[in-house]
Amino acid sequence: MSANEVAKVAASVFRVLDRNGDGLISIMELLKEVDDRRKPISLAVRRTCAERLRKDESRLVLGDFIQMFTEMDTDDDGCVSLEEFTDFVGGSTMMGVQQAGHNAHAS
């Protein structure tokens, strides 16, 4: 996937996670999305968290998602910007989210 494609997919996924449309993802927005296991993006974020922490997906707990969020929030302002999210998604561990975003973008 090219950098341009990753950026487009990241923006698509970001819009889903940014539930209130303020241009930032809060920890609560991330947790609400992850809570609905029926959604492809939720499954991809869960898979990514498990891969990132090298933990079985079925054993993930709240603190694991908070840890992943903290890793995404590189400027420590308590929110994840599109730029931070895109940088994080660009890593190989976010391929599941990239695929979920591609599916959301295509539909």
Side-chain angles (χ1 to χ4, degrees):
M1 198 178 267
S2 74
N4 189 35
E5 290 171 320
V6 169
K8 285 180 183 179
V9 168
S12 178
V13 173
F14 186 88
R15 283 191 298 275
V16 173
L17 294 174
D18 179 19
R19 295 171 69 115
N20 68 1
D22 68 353
L24 299 168
I25 301 171
S26 70
I27 186 64
M28 293 307 296
E29 287 172 318
L30 179 71
L31 294 176
K32 284 179 185 175
E33 197 63 39
V34 167
D35 193 42
D36 188 350
R37 294 180 186 191
R38 297 168 296 170
K39 294 182 178 180
I41 290 177
S42 172
L43 296 173
V45 171
R46 288 176 162 281
R47 188 174 313 118
T48 297
C49 187
E51 289 173 8
R52 192 78 168 201
L53 301 179
R54 296 183 179 157
K55 193 171 184 178
D56 187 279
E57 190 176 330
S58 66
R59 297 193 178 278
L60 293 174
V61 296
L62 177 65
D64 297 328
F65 297 107
I66 293 170
Q67 181 179 343
M68 186 178 75
F69 182 86
T70 301
E71 289 178 19
M72 283 191 280
D73 182 19
T74 57
D75 66 3
D76 296 323
D77 67 352
C79 295
V80 174
S81 67
L82 177 58
E83 181 179 347
E84 289 170 316
F85 188 75
T86 302
D87 289 345
F88 193 82
V89 169
S92 61
T93 61
M94 286 297 271
M95 290 309 292
V97 169
Q98 292 172 8
Q99 185 59 46
H102 179 70
N103 292 343
H105 188 67
S107 49

